Amino acid sequence: MGLSRWTSGEREAPEPLEGNVVATVVGGTVIWFTLFLVQLPFYRWFDEHDRTWWLWTCLAGGVLGLYGIWFVRRREATLRRERLARETGTDSGAGADPGTAPGTGAAPEGPAPAE
């Protein structure tokens, strides 16, 4: 019993959900910064009740959201580039740049055709 029925490998994993990730992260970042700005006028109250961490949590969420926006935009651009290269049949150049890690290029489509 337990987790073995889920982790035994007998079940196939579902496809990952792909949505508008950039819009989701931008929306979350805006919410964090908005919460920070709305709470800022009440700093004295938060300080008197030892709740200033609420403000700093919102600010940290907003700053981390800025990093998240940069990250997901870069990810989307890479996926778009790889999809375009796959559709046109050209090499995306993955691995040609010495700064790229191995295995970050496009995955092979399947086994090579028999000759």
Side-chain angles (χ1 to χ4, degrees), residues 33-81:
F33 276 127
T34 302
L35 288 171
F36 173 73
L37 292 174
V38 166
Q39 292 176 4
L40 200 55
F42 305 103
Y43 183 84
R44 185 178 303 174
W45 184 89
F46 286 117
D47 192 34
E48 291 170 358
H49 294 89
D50 291 329
R51 298 284 191 262
T52 55
W53 63 270
W54 288 9
L55 286 126
W56 307 130
T57 300
C58 294
L59 183 61
V63 170
L64 288 172
L66 291 176
Y67 170 72
I69 292 169
W70 172 80
F71 185 85
V72 296
R73 289 188 70 204
R74 188 170 157 220
R75 176 183 178 268
E76 290 293 323
T78 301
L79 291 174
R80 195 175 313 117
R81 219 176 15 253

mmCIF file of all heavy atoms in Angstrom, residues 33-81:
data_model
loop_
_atom_site.group_PDB
_atom_site.id
_atom_site.type_symbol
_atom_site.label_atom_id
_atom_site.label_comp_id
_atom_site.label_asym_id
_atom_site.label_seq_id
_atom_site.Cartn_x
_atom_site.Cartn_y
_atom_site.Cartn_z
ATOM 1 N N PHE A 33 3.391 43.204 -5.265
ATOM 2 C CA PHE A 33 3.757 44.610 -5.124
ATOM 3 C C PHE A 33 2.564 45.459 -4.675
ATOM 4 O O PHE A 33 2.723 46.382 -3.870
ATOM 5 C CB PHE A 33 4.350 45.158 -6.421
ATOM 6 C CG PHE A 33 5.814 44.875 -6.575
ATOM 7 C CD1 PHE A 33 6.297 44.262 -7.713
ATOM 8 C CD2 PHE A 33 6.734 45.231 -5.588
ATOM 9 C CE1 PHE A 33 7.645 43.996 -7.864
ATOM 10 C CE2 PHE A 33 8.086 44.980 -5.728
ATOM 11 C CZ PHE A 33 8.543 44.367 -6.866
ATOM 12 N N THR A 34 1.372 45.131 -5.160
ATOM 13 C CA THR A 34 0.181 45.868 -4.747
ATOM 14 C C THR A 34 -0.082 45.673 -3.256
ATOM 15 O O THR A 34 -0.368 46.637 -2.532
ATOM 16 C CB THR A 34 -1.047 45.418 -5.569
ATOM 17 O OG1 THR A 34 -0.766 45.632 -6.958
ATOM 18 C CG2 THR A 34 -2.294 46.177 -5.170
ATOM 19 N N LEU A 35 0.040 44.448 -2.790
ATOM 20 C CA LEU A 35 -0.143 44.187 -1.360
ATOM 21 C C LEU A 35 0.881 44.950 -0.531
ATOM 22 O O LEU A 35 0.566 45.494 0.533
ATOM 23 C CB LEU A 35 -0.047 42.685 -1.080
ATOM 24 C CG LEU A 35 -1.224 41.839 -1.545
ATOM 25 C CD1 LEU A 35 -0.908 40.357 -1.408
ATOM 26 C CD2 LEU A 35 -2.463 42.195 -0.750
ATOM 27 N N PHE A 36 2.110 45.007 -1.006
ATOM 28 C CA PHE A 36 3.138 45.759 -0.287
ATOM 29 C C PHE A 36 2.768 47.235 -0.209
ATOM 30 O O PHE A 36 2.822 47.850 0.859
ATOM 31 C CB PHE A 36 4.499 45.590 -0.974
ATOM 32 C CG PHE A 36 5.577 46.456 -0.391
ATOM 33 C CD1 PHE A 36 6.119 46.172 0.849
ATOM 34 C CD2 PHE A 36 6.036 47.570 -1.077
ATOM 35 C CE1 PHE A 36 7.106 46.974 1.404
ATOM 36 C CE2 PHE A 36 7.017 48.382 -0.538
ATOM 37 C CZ PHE A 36 7.551 48.091 0.709
ATOM 38 N N LEU A 37 2.372 47.826 -1.346
ATOM 39 C CA LEU A 37 2.053 49.248 -1.373
ATOM 40 C C LEU A 37 0.806 49.582 -0.556
ATOM 41 O O LEU A 37 0.731 50.643 0.075
ATOM 42 C CB LEU A 37 1.878 49.717 -2.815
ATOM 43 C CG LEU A 37 3.160 49.707 -3.654
ATOM 44 C CD1 LEU A 37 2.844 50.060 -5.097
ATOM 45 C CD2 LEU A 37 4.199 50.652 -3.071
ATOM 46 N N VAL A 38 -0.178 48.680 -0.547
ATOM 47 C CA VAL A 38 -1.404 48.913 0.224
ATOM 48 C C VAL A 38 -1.103 48.875 1.724
ATOM 49 O O VAL A 38 -1.676 49.634 2.506
ATOM 50 C CB VAL A 38 -2.487 47.883 -0.154
ATOM 51 C CG1 VAL A 38 -3.626 47.866 0.850
ATOM 52 C CG2 VAL A 38 -3.001 48.161 -1.554
ATOM 53 N N GLN A 39 -0.187 48.026 2.155
ATOM 54 C CA GLN A 39 0.121 47.884 3.569
ATOM 55 C C GLN A 39 1.116 48.926 4.068
ATOM 56 O O GLN A 39 1.209 49.179 5.272
ATOM 57 C CB GLN A 39 0.688 46.487 3.850
ATOM 58 C CG GLN A 39 -0.308 45.392 3.672
ATOM 59 C CD GLN A 39 0.306 44.018 3.866
ATOM 60 O OE1 GLN A 39 1.470 43.877 4.202
ATOM 61 N NE2 GLN A 39 -0.497 42.994 3.651
ATOM 62 N N LEU A 40 1.864 49.531 3.167
ATOM 63 C CA LEU A 40 2.918 50.469 3.552
ATOM 64 C C LEU A 40 2.428 51.629 4.422
ATOM 65 O O LEU A 40 3.101 51.972 5.410
ATOM 66 C CB LEU A 40 3.628 50.981 2.296
ATOM 67 C CG LEU A 40 5.006 51.582 2.485
ATOM 68 C CD1 LEU A 40 5.930 50.613 3.204
ATOM 69 C CD2 LEU A 40 5.592 51.958 1.133
ATOM 70 N N PRO A 41 1.279 52.257 4.153
ATOM 71 C CA PRO A 41 0.820 53.351 5.028
ATOM 72 C C PRO A 41 0.531 52.911 6.465
ATOM 73 O O PRO A 41 0.484 53.738 7.377
ATOM 74 C CB PRO A 41 -0.469 53.838 4.362
ATOM 75 C CG PRO A 41 -0.386 53.376 2.957
ATOM 76 C CD PRO A 41 0.425 52.116 2.978
ATOM 77 N N PHE A 42 0.355 51.626 6.686
ATOM 78 C CA PHE A 42 0.043 51.118 8.019
ATOM 79 C C PHE A 42 1.274 50.549 8.717
ATOM 80 O O PHE A 42 1.156 49.734 9.631
ATOM 81 C CB PHE A 42 -1.049 50.045 7.919
ATOM 82 C CG PHE A 42 -2.282 50.531 7.223
ATOM 83 C CD1 PHE A 42 -2.541 50.172 5.913
ATOM 84 C CD2 PHE A 42 -3.170 51.367 7.878
ATOM 85 C CE1 PHE A 42 -3.678 50.631 5.265
ATOM 86 C CE2 PHE A 42 -4.306 51.827 7.240
ATOM 87 C CZ PHE A 42 -4.560 51.463 5.928
ATOM 88 N N TYR A 43 2.451 50.988 8.309
ATOM 89 C CA TYR A 43 3.693 50.432 8.858
ATOM 90 C C TYR A 43 3.729 50.550 10.378
ATOM 91 O O TYR A 43 4.157 49.613 11.057
ATOM 92 C CB TYR A 43 4.908 51.136 8.244
ATOM 93 C CG TYR A 43 6.209 50.557 8.727
ATOM 94 C CD1 TYR A 43 6.745 49.434 8.114
ATOM 95 C CD2 TYR A 43 6.879 51.095 9.814
ATOM 96 C CE1 TYR A 43 7.928 48.872 8.553
ATOM 97 C CE2 TYR A 43 8.053 50.542 10.272
ATOM 98 C CZ TYR A 43 8.571 49.436 9.642
ATOM 99 O OH TYR A 43 9.737 48.874 10.090
ATOM 100 N N ARG A 44 3.309 51.686 10.921
ATOM 101 C CA ARG A 44 3.364 51.888 12.370
ATOM 102 C C ARG A 44 2.523 50.841 13.097
ATOM 103 O O ARG A 44 2.945 50.276 14.105
ATOM 104 C CB ARG A 44 2.900 53.288 12.737
ATOM 105 C CG ARG A 44 3.064 53.573 14.222
ATOM 106 C CD ARG A 44 2.652 54.958 14.587
ATOM 107 N NE ARG A 44 3.428 55.899 13.782
ATOM 108 C CZ ARG A 44 3.229 57.200 13.783
ATOM 109 N NH1 ARG A 44 2.275 57.720 14.518
ATOM 110 N NH2 ARG A 44 3.959 57.989 13.036
ATOM 111 N N TRP A 45 1.321 50.573 12.570
ATOM 112 C CA TRP A 45 0.469 49.565 13.192
ATOM 113 C C TRP A 45 1.135 48.196 13.144
ATOM 114 O O TRP A 45 1.130 47.467 14.130
ATOM 115 C CB TRP A 45 -0.889 49.515 12.502
ATOM 116 C CG TRP A 45 -1.841 48.558 13.165
ATOM 117 C CD1 TRP A 45 -2.696 48.844 14.175
ATOM 118 C CD2 TRP A 45 -1.987 47.170 12.887
ATOM 119 N NE1 TRP A 45 -3.395 47.717 14.530
ATOM 120 C CE2 TRP A 45 -2.961 46.653 13.749
ATOM 121 C CE3 TRP A 45 -1.385 46.295 11.987
ATOM 122 C CZ2 TRP A 45 -3.355 45.338 13.758
ATOM 123 C CZ3 TRP A 45 -1.779 44.969 11.988
ATOM 124 C CH2 TRP A 45 -2.754 44.497 12.869
ATOM 125 N N PHE A 46 1.689 47.847 11.987
ATOM 126 C CA PHE A 46 2.380 46.561 11.860
ATOM 127 C C PHE A 46 3.550 46.475 12.831
ATOM 128 O O PHE A 46 3.796 45.430 13.431
ATOM 129 C CB PHE A 46 2.878 46.350 10.424
ATOM 130 C CG PHE A 46 1.794 46.023 9.446
ATOM 131 C CD1 PHE A 46 1.516 46.872 8.395
ATOM 132 C CD2 PHE A 46 1.049 44.869 9.567
ATOM 133 C CE1 PHE A 46 0.524 46.575 7.476
ATOM 134 C CE2 PHE A 46 0.046 44.554 8.661
ATOM 135 C CZ PHE A 46 -0.214 45.420 7.622
ATOM 136 N N ASP A 47 4.278 47.575 12.977
ATOM 137 C CA ASP A 47 5.429 47.590 13.875
ATOM 138 C C ASP A 47 5.001 47.415 15.330
ATOM 139 O O ASP A 47 5.634 46.683 16.094
ATOM 140 C CB ASP A 47 6.203 48.899 13.687
ATOM 141 C CG ASP A 47 7.556 48.877 14.366
ATOM 142 O OD1 ASP A 47 8.177 47.793 14.405
ATOM 143 O OD2 ASP A 47 7.992 49.942 14.840
ATOM 144 N N GLU A 48 3.912 48.079 15.724
ATOM 145 C CA GLU A 48 3.427 47.971 17.105
ATOM 146 C C GLU A 48 2.934 46.564 17.430
ATOM 147 O O GLU A 48 2.972 46.140 18.586
ATOM 148 C CB GLU A 48 2.289 48.975 17.338
ATOM 149 C CG GLU A 48 2.740 50.416 17.345
ATOM 150 C CD GLU A 48 1.580 51.390 17.344
ATOM 151 O OE1 GLU A 48 0.401 50.939 17.300
ATOM 152 O OE2 GLU A 48 1.845 52.604 17.374
ATOM 153 N N HIS A 49 2.445 45.838 16.443
ATOM 154 C CA HIS A 49 1.905 44.497 16.664
ATOM 155 C C HIS A 49 2.836 43.391 16.181
ATOM 156 O O HIS A 49 2.409 42.243 16.028
ATOM 157 C CB HIS A 49 0.539 44.381 15.971
ATOM 158 C CG HIS A 49 -0.500 45.250 16.575
ATOM 159 N ND1 HIS A 49 -0.713 46.549 16.161
ATOM 160 C CD2 HIS A 49 -1.379 45.032 17.591
ATOM 161 C CE1 HIS A 49 -1.685 47.077 16.883
ATOM 162 N NE2 HIS A 49 -2.114 46.182 17.760
ATOM 163 N N ASP A 50 4.094 43.714 15.965
ATOM 164 C CA ASP A 50 5.103 42.748 15.491
ATOM 165 C C ASP A 50 4.639 42.007 14.241
ATOM 166 O O ASP A 50 4.723 40.778 14.136
ATOM 167 C CB ASP A 50 5.449 41.731 16.589
ATOM 168 C CG ASP A 50 6.211 42.366 17.732
ATOM 169 O OD1 ASP A 50 6.960 43.339 17.477
ATOM 170 O OD2 ASP A 50 6.075 41.894 18.879
ATOM 171 N N ARG A 51 4.136 42.757 13.292
ATOM 172 C CA ARG A 51 3.669 42.169 12.036
ATOM 173 C C ARG A 51 4.363 42.785 10.821
ATOM 174 O O ARG A 51 3.859 42.685 9.706
ATOM 175 C CB ARG A 51 2.158 42.380 11.868
ATOM 176 C CG ARG A 51 1.302 41.745 12.930
ATOM 177 C CD ARG A 51 1.190 40.250 12.722
ATOM 178 N NE ARG A 51 0.182 39.667 13.564
ATOM 179 C CZ ARG A 51 0.416 39.063 14.706
ATOM 180 N NH1 ARG A 51 1.641 38.987 15.157
ATOM 181 N NH2 ARG A 51 -0.552 38.538 15.411
ATOM 182 N N THR A 52 5.519 43.404 11.004
ATOM 183 C CA THR A 52 6.210 44.014 9.860
ATOM 184 C C THR A 52 6.653 42.966 8.852
ATOM 185 O O THR A 52 6.869 43.284 7.683
ATOM 186 C CB THR A 52 7.435 44.825 10.316
ATOM 187 O OG1 THR A 52 8.287 43.998 11.091
ATOM 188 C CG2 THR A 52 7.019 46.055 11.096
ATOM 189 N N TRP A 53 6.738 41.731 9.277
ATOM 190 C CA TRP A 53 7.132 40.676 8.341
ATOM 191 C C TRP A 53 6.108 40.530 7.217
ATOM 192 O O TRP A 53 6.433 40.045 6.137
ATOM 193 C CB TRP A 53 7.355 39.344 9.071
ATOM 194 C CG TRP A 53 6.137 38.768 9.740
ATOM 195 C CD1 TRP A 53 5.720 38.989 11.005
ATOM 196 C CD2 TRP A 53 5.195 37.875 9.153
ATOM 197 N NE1 TRP A 53 4.572 38.292 11.260
ATOM 198 C CE2 TRP A 53 4.225 37.588 10.135
ATOM 199 C CE3 TRP A 53 5.067 37.278 7.906
ATOM 200 C CZ2 TRP A 53 3.149 36.754 9.900
ATOM 201 C CZ3 TRP A 53 3.996 36.436 7.682
ATOM 202 C CH2 TRP A 53 3.056 36.179 8.673
ATOM 203 N N TRP A 54 4.862 40.958 7.450
ATOM 204 C CA TRP A 54 3.863 40.929 6.385
ATOM 205 C C TRP A 54 4.301 41.810 5.222
ATOM 206 O O TRP A 54 4.207 41.416 4.056
ATOM 207 C CB TRP A 54 2.514 41.420 6.889
ATOM 208 C CG TRP A 54 1.790 40.492 7.823
ATOM 209 C CD1 TRP A 54 2.273 39.368 8.395
ATOM 210 C CD2 TRP A 54 0.459 40.643 8.289
ATOM 211 N NE1 TRP A 54 1.330 38.800 9.203
ATOM 212 C CE2 TRP A 54 0.201 39.553 9.150
ATOM 213 C CE3 TRP A 54 -0.529 41.573 8.078
ATOM 214 C CZ2 TRP A 54 -1.018 39.383 9.789
ATOM 215 C CZ3 TRP A 54 -1.746 41.396 8.711
ATOM 216 C CH2 TRP A 54 -1.985 40.313 9.554
ATOM 217 N N LEU A 55 4.775 43.015 5.551
ATOM 218 C CA LEU A 55 5.249 43.926 4.500
ATOM 219 C C LEU A 55 6.443 43.337 3.768
ATOM 220 O O LEU A 55 6.508 43.378 2.542
ATOM 221 C CB LEU A 55 5.637 45.277 5.124
ATOM 222 C CG LEU A 55 4.469 46.130 5.532
ATOM 223 C CD1 LEU A 55 4.618 46.531 6.972
ATOM 224 C CD2 LEU A 55 4.474 47.344 4.639
ATOM 225 N N TRP A 56 7.402 42.843 4.533
ATOM 226 C CA TRP A 56 8.644 42.355 3.913
ATOM 227 C C TRP A 56 8.395 41.077 3.121
ATOM 228 O O TRP A 56 9.088 40.816 2.134
ATOM 229 C CB TRP A 56 9.735 42.175 4.957
ATOM 230 C CG TRP A 56 9.932 43.424 5.759
ATOM 231 C CD1 TRP A 56 9.965 43.537 7.117
ATOM 232 C CD2 TRP A 56 10.087 44.757 5.252
ATOM 233 N NE1 TRP A 56 10.130 44.849 7.472
ATOM 234 C CE2 TRP A 56 10.210 45.625 6.346
ATOM 235 C CE3 TRP A 56 10.123 45.315 3.978
ATOM 236 C CZ2 TRP A 56 10.381 46.995 6.216
ATOM 237 C CZ3 TRP A 56 10.285 46.691 3.837
ATOM 238 C CH2 TRP A 56 10.416 47.505 4.949
ATOM 239 N N THR A 57 7.397 40.312 3.523
ATOM 240 C CA THR A 57 7.035 39.129 2.736
ATOM 241 C C THR A 57 6.486 39.545 1.376
ATOM 242 O O THR A 57 6.837 38.971 0.342
ATOM 243 C CB THR A 57 6.000 38.266 3.477
ATOM 244 O OG1 THR A 57 6.562 37.840 4.717
ATOM 245 C CG2 THR A 57 5.588 37.058 2.662
ATOM 246 N N CYS A 58 5.631 40.568 1.371
ATOM 247 C CA CYS A 58 5.073 41.059 0.107
ATOM 248 C C CYS A 58 6.159 41.641 -0.781
ATOM 249 O O CYS A 58 6.165 41.417 -1.998
ATOM 250 C CB CYS A 58 3.995 42.097 0.378
ATOM 251 S SG CYS A 58 2.539 41.422 1.201
ATOM 252 N N LEU A 59 7.093 42.384 -0.190
ATOM 253 C CA LEU A 59 8.181 42.946 -0.972
ATOM 254 C C LEU A 59 9.061 41.838 -1.541
ATOM 255 O O LEU A 59 9.444 41.873 -2.712
ATOM 256 C CB LEU A 59 9.012 43.904 -0.123
ATOM 257 C CG LEU A 59 10.150 44.616 -0.848
ATOM 258 C CD1 LEU A 59 9.599 45.472 -1.980
ATOM 259 C CD2 LEU A 59 10.948 45.453 0.135
ATOM 260 N N ALA A 60 9.368 40.836 -0.733
ATOM 261 C CA ALA A 60 10.179 39.713 -1.216
ATOM 262 C C ALA A 60 9.454 38.969 -2.338
ATOM 263 O O ALA A 60 10.073 38.572 -3.332
ATOM 264 C CB ALA A 60 10.486 38.752 -0.065
ATOM 265 N N GLY A 61 8.145 38.792 -2.211
ATOM 266 C CA GLY A 61 7.367 38.151 -3.273
ATOM 267 C C GLY A 61 7.431 38.934 -4.569
ATOM 268 O O GLY A 61 7.548 38.367 -5.655
ATOM 269 N N GLY A 62 7.366 40.244 -4.471
ATOM 270 C CA GLY A 62 7.461 41.086 -5.662
ATOM 271 C C GLY A 62 8.827 41.020 -6.311
ATOM 272 O O GLY A 62 8.945 40.914 -7.538
ATOM 273 N N VAL A 63 9.881 41.072 -5.498
ATOM 274 C CA VAL A 63 11.243 41.015 -6.042
ATOM 275 C C VAL A 63 11.503 39.643 -6.667
ATOM 276 O O VAL A 63 12.066 39.550 -7.764
ATOM 277 C CB VAL A 63 12.276 41.343 -4.943
ATOM 278 C CG1 VAL A 63 13.687 41.066 -5.407
ATOM 279 C CG2 VAL A 63 12.138 42.806 -4.521
ATOM 280 N N LEU A 64 11.088 38.581 -5.994
ATOM 281 C CA LEU A 64 11.253 37.246 -6.572
ATOM 282 C C LEU A 64 10.406 37.095 -7.827
ATOM 283 O O LEU A 64 10.793 36.393 -8.765
ATOM 284 C CB LEU A 64 10.882 36.170 -5.551
ATOM 285 C CG LEU A 64 11.886 36.004 -4.410
ATOM 286 C CD1 LEU A 64 11.332 35.058 -3.356
ATOM 287 C CD2 LEU A 64 13.219 35.510 -4.923
ATOM 288 N N GLY A 65 9.274 37.770 -7.869
ATOM 289 C CA GLY A 65 8.442 37.766 -9.063
ATOM 290 C C GLY A 65 9.145 38.409 -10.249
ATOM 291 O O GLY A 65 8.998 37.968 -11.391
ATOM 292 N N LEU A 66 9.928 39.475 -10.004
ATOM 293 C CA LEU A 66 10.698 40.094 -11.086
ATOM 294 C C LEU A 66 11.694 39.099 -11.675
ATOM 295 O O LEU A 66 11.869 39.011 -12.889
ATOM 296 C CB LEU A 66 11.432 41.340 -10.584
ATOM 297 C CG LEU A 66 10.547 42.527 -10.215
ATOM 298 C CD1 LEU A 66 11.399 43.650 -9.637
ATOM 299 C CD2 LEU A 66 9.758 43.005 -11.420
ATOM 300 N N TYR A 67 12.356 38.333 -10.801
ATOM 301 C CA TYR A 67 13.248 37.280 -11.282
ATOM 302 C C TYR A 67 12.445 36.233 -12.057
ATOM 303 O O TYR A 67 12.884 35.757 -13.106
ATOM 304 C CB TYR A 67 13.993 36.616 -10.118
ATOM 305 C CG TYR A 67 14.732 35.375 -10.549
ATOM 306 C CD1 TYR A 67 15.877 35.465 -11.319
ATOM 307 C CD2 TYR A 67 14.255 34.107 -10.217
ATOM 308 C CE1 TYR A 67 16.546 34.326 -11.739
ATOM 309 C CE2 TYR A 67 14.913 32.980 -10.624
ATOM 310 C CZ TYR A 67 16.057 33.086 -11.390
ATOM 311 O OH TYR A 67 16.699 31.957 -11.802
ATOM 312 N N GLY A 68 11.272 35.887 -11.560
ATOM 313 C CA GLY A 68 10.427 34.902 -12.230
ATOM 314 C C GLY A 68 10.001 35.362 -13.616
ATOM 315 O O GLY A 68 9.958 34.578 -14.560
ATOM 316 N N ILE A 69 9.694 36.654 -13.758
ATOM 317 C CA ILE A 69 9.326 37.190 -15.070
ATOM 318 C C ILE A 69 10.489 37.035 -16.041
ATOM 319 O O ILE A 69 10.319 36.581 -17.176
ATOM 320 C CB ILE A 69 8.893 38.667 -14.959
ATOM 321 C CG1 ILE A 69 7.577 38.776 -14.201
ATOM 322 C CG2 ILE A 69 8.783 39.306 -16.337
ATOM 323 C CD1 ILE A 69 7.211 40.193 -13.807
ATOM 324 N N TRP A 70 11.675 37.403 -15.587
ATOM 325 C CA TRP A 70 12.861 37.260 -16.440
ATOM 326 C C TRP A 70 13.051 35.797 -16.836
ATOM 327 O O TRP A 70 13.293 35.478 -17.994
ATOM 328 C CB TRP A 70 14.101 37.784 -15.702
ATOM 329 C CG TRP A 70 15.373 37.499 -16.416
ATOM 330 C CD1 TRP A 70 15.900 38.182 -17.469
ATOM 331 C CD2 TRP A 70 16.275 36.421 -16.149
ATOM 332 N NE1 TRP A 70 17.081 37.603 -17.862
ATOM 333 C CE2 TRP A 70 17.332 36.516 -17.072
ATOM 334 C CE3 TRP A 70 16.287 35.390 -15.215
ATOM 335 C CZ2 TRP A 70 18.388 35.619 -17.082
ATOM 336 C CZ3 TRP A 70 17.351 34.500 -15.237
ATOM 337 C CH2 TRP A 70 18.373 34.627 -16.163
ATOM 338 N N PHE A 71 12.906 34.908 -15.867
ATOM 339 C CA PHE A 71 13.145 33.482 -16.097
ATOM 340 C C PHE A 71 12.146 32.896 -17.086
ATOM 341 O O PHE A 71 12.529 32.211 -18.041
ATOM 342 C CB PHE A 71 13.077 32.732 -14.763
ATOM 343 C CG PHE A 71 13.425 31.278 -14.883
ATOM 344 C CD1 PHE A 71 14.734 30.862 -14.848
ATOM 345 C CD2 PHE A 71 12.425 30.327 -15.042
ATOM 346 C CE1 PHE A 71 15.061 29.523 -14.966
ATOM 347 C CE2 PHE A 71 12.744 28.987 -15.169
ATOM 348 C CZ PHE A 71 14.070 28.589 -15.127
ATOM 349 N N VAL A 72 10.850 33.146 -16.892
ATOM 350 C CA VAL A 72 9.856 32.519 -17.765
ATOM 351 C C VAL A 72 9.861 33.134 -19.162
ATOM 352 O O VAL A 72 9.569 32.439 -20.136
ATOM 353 C CB VAL A 72 8.426 32.534 -17.162
ATOM 354 C CG1 VAL A 72 8.365 31.712 -15.892
ATOM 355 C CG2 VAL A 72 7.918 33.924 -16.921
ATOM 356 N N ARG A 73 10.198 34.416 -19.275
ATOM 357 C CA ARG A 73 10.309 35.005 -20.617
ATOM 358 C C ARG A 73 11.467 34.372 -21.377
ATOM 359 O O ARG A 73 11.357 34.086 -22.566
ATOM 360 C CB ARG A 73 10.490 36.518 -20.521
ATOM 361 C CG ARG A 73 9.219 37.202 -20.055
ATOM 362 C CD ARG A 73 9.310 38.683 -20.138
ATOM 363 N NE ARG A 73 9.322 39.053 -21.548
ATOM 364 C CZ ARG A 73 9.827 40.172 -22.009
ATOM 365 N NH1 ARG A 73 10.367 41.040 -21.189
ATOM 366 N NH2 ARG A 73 9.787 40.438 -23.292
ATOM 367 N N ARG A 74 12.568 34.137 -20.685
ATOM 368 C CA ARG A 74 13.718 33.476 -21.304
ATOM 369 C C ARG A 74 13.366 32.046 -21.701
ATOM 370 O O ARG A 74 13.720 31.576 -22.783
ATOM 371 C CB ARG A 74 14.884 33.492 -20.312
ATOM 372 C CG ARG A 74 16.170 33.029 -20.876
ATOM 373 C CD ARG A 74 17.283 33.311 -19.887
ATOM 374 N NE ARG A 74 18.369 32.403 -20.177
ATOM 375 C CZ ARG A 74 19.089 31.794 -19.284
ATOM 376 N NH1 ARG A 74 18.877 32.020 -18.004
ATOM 377 N NH2 ARG A 74 20.053 30.977 -19.618
ATOM 378 N N ARG A 75 12.639 31.346 -20.823
ATOM 379 C CA ARG A 75 12.213 29.971 -21.114
ATOM 380 C C ARG A 75 11.304 29.927 -22.333
ATOM 381 O O ARG A 75 11.467 29.084 -23.215
ATOM 382 C CB ARG A 75 11.495 29.390 -19.896
ATOM 383 C CG ARG A 75 10.931 28.009 -20.106
ATOM 384 C CD ARG A 75 10.164 27.545 -18.870
ATOM 385 N NE ARG A 75 9.578 26.255 -19.085
ATOM 386 C CZ ARG A 75 8.348 26.060 -19.555
ATOM 387 N NH1 ARG A 75 7.582 27.081 -19.845
ATOM 388 N NH2 ARG A 75 7.885 24.842 -19.724
ATOM 389 N N GLU A 76 10.327 30.832 -22.389
ATOM 390 C CA GLU A 76 9.403 30.869 -23.525
ATOM 391 C C GLU A 76 10.140 31.161 -24.827
ATOM 392 O O GLU A 76 9.835 30.575 -25.862
ATOM 393 C CB GLU A 76 8.309 31.913 -23.293
ATOM 394 C CG GLU A 76 7.325 31.548 -22.208
ATOM 395 C CD GLU A 76 6.456 30.362 -22.564
ATOM 396 O OE1 GLU A 76 6.058 30.229 -23.738
ATOM 397 O OE2 GLU A 76 6.184 29.551 -21.667
ATOM 398 N N ALA A 77 11.117 32.065 -24.783
ATOM 399 C CA ALA A 77 11.884 32.388 -25.987
ATOM 400 C C ALA A 77 12.682 31.168 -26.455
ATOM 401 O O ALA A 77 12.756 30.887 -27.657
ATOM 402 C CB ALA A 77 12.817 33.561 -25.725
ATOM 403 N N THR A 78 13.247 30.435 -25.532
ATOM 404 C CA THR A 78 13.997 29.225 -25.887
ATOM 405 C C THR A 78 13.082 28.171 -26.485
ATOM 406 O O THR A 78 13.418 27.543 -27.495
ATOM 407 C CB THR A 78 14.715 28.663 -24.646
ATOM 408 O OG1 THR A 78 15.593 29.663 -24.132
ATOM 409 C CG2 THR A 78 15.504 27.414 -24.982
ATOM 410 N N LEU A 79 11.921 27.954 -25.874
ATOM 411 C CA LEU A 79 10.975 26.972 -26.409
ATOM 412 C C LEU A 79 10.499 27.369 -27.803
ATOM 413 O O LEU A 79 10.382 26.528 -28.699
ATOM 414 C CB LEU A 79 9.775 26.822 -25.473
ATOM 415 C CG LEU A 79 10.051 26.162 -24.124
ATOM 416 C CD1 LEU A 79 8.813 26.222 -23.242
ATOM 417 C CD2 LEU A 79 10.521 24.741 -24.306
ATOM 418 N N ARG A 80 10.237 28.657 -28.003
ATOM 419 C CA ARG A 80 9.801 29.146 -29.308
ATOM 420 C C ARG A 80 10.895 28.938 -30.362
ATOM 421 O O ARG A 80 10.628 28.488 -31.473
ATOM 422 C CB ARG A 80 9.451 30.628 -29.209
ATOM 423 C CG ARG A 80 8.663 31.155 -30.369
ATOM 424 C CD ARG A 80 8.220 32.606 -30.173
ATOM 425 N NE ARG A 80 7.639 32.859 -28.860
ATOM 426 C CZ ARG A 80 8.165 33.701 -27.953
ATOM 427 N NH1 ARG A 80 9.256 34.372 -28.221
ATOM 428 N NH2 ARG A 80 7.575 33.869 -26.799
ATOM 429 N N ARG A 81 12.143 29.226 -29.983
ATOM 430 C CA ARG A 81 13.277 29.045 -30.895
ATOM 431 C C ARG A 81 13.446 27.578 -31.281
ATOM 432 O O ARG A 81 13.647 27.254 -32.449
ATOM 433 C CB ARG A 81 14.547 29.569 -30.215
ATOM 434 C CG ARG A 81 15.465 30.293 -31.100
ATOM 435 C CD ARG A 81 16.675 30.897 -30.422
ATOM 436 N NE ARG A 81 17.001 30.457 -29.082
ATOM 437 C CZ ARG A 81 16.828 31.189 -27.985
ATOM 438 N NH1 ARG A 81 16.317 32.394 -28.063
ATOM 439 N NH2 ARG A 81 17.174 30.718 -26.812
#
